[in-house]
């Protein structure tokens, strides 16, 4: 995932701003880490450069 993508991403639950937490990156993109929504307190994982922005299931 390229860092520039953070400029257009919003939380899928509340549409709020997100915070990028990087665990591993190369010169081109973020390989591992999380995207965090402070309002919802949800961490969305980034694995092998792919962010998983699916909202958590609410148990319905």
């Amino acid at each position: 995932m390229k860092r520039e993508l953070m400029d257009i991403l919003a939380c899928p639950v509340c549409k709020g701003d997100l915070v990028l937490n990087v665990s591993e990156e190369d010169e081109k993109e973020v390989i591992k880490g999380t995207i965090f929504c402070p309002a919802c307190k949800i961490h969305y994982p980034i694995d092998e450069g792919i962010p998983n922005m699916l909202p958590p299931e609410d148990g319905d």
Side-chain angles (χ1 to χ4, degrees):
M1 181 193 100
K2 296 193 182 299
R3 283 182 174 265
E4 297 83 36
L5 190 56
M6 290 300 296
D7 293 339
I8 60 170
L9 286 179
C11 176
V13 176
C14 74
K15 310 300 183 223
D17 291 334
L18 298 166
V19 177
L20 178 63
N21 300 301
V22 178
S23 300
E24 180 185 340
E25 68 181 312
D26 62 19
E27 57 279 345
K28 294 181 189 175
E29 64 181 5
V30 176
I31 306 298
K32 283 192 172 287
T34 62
I35 298 170
F36 177 65
C37 176
C40 296
K41 297 185 178 15
I42 299 172
H43 290 270
Y44 299 98
I46 303 168
D47 192 30
E48 295 184 17
I50 301 168
N52 179 349
M53 298 296 293
L54 292 174
E57 294 186 25
D58 59 6
D60 285 342

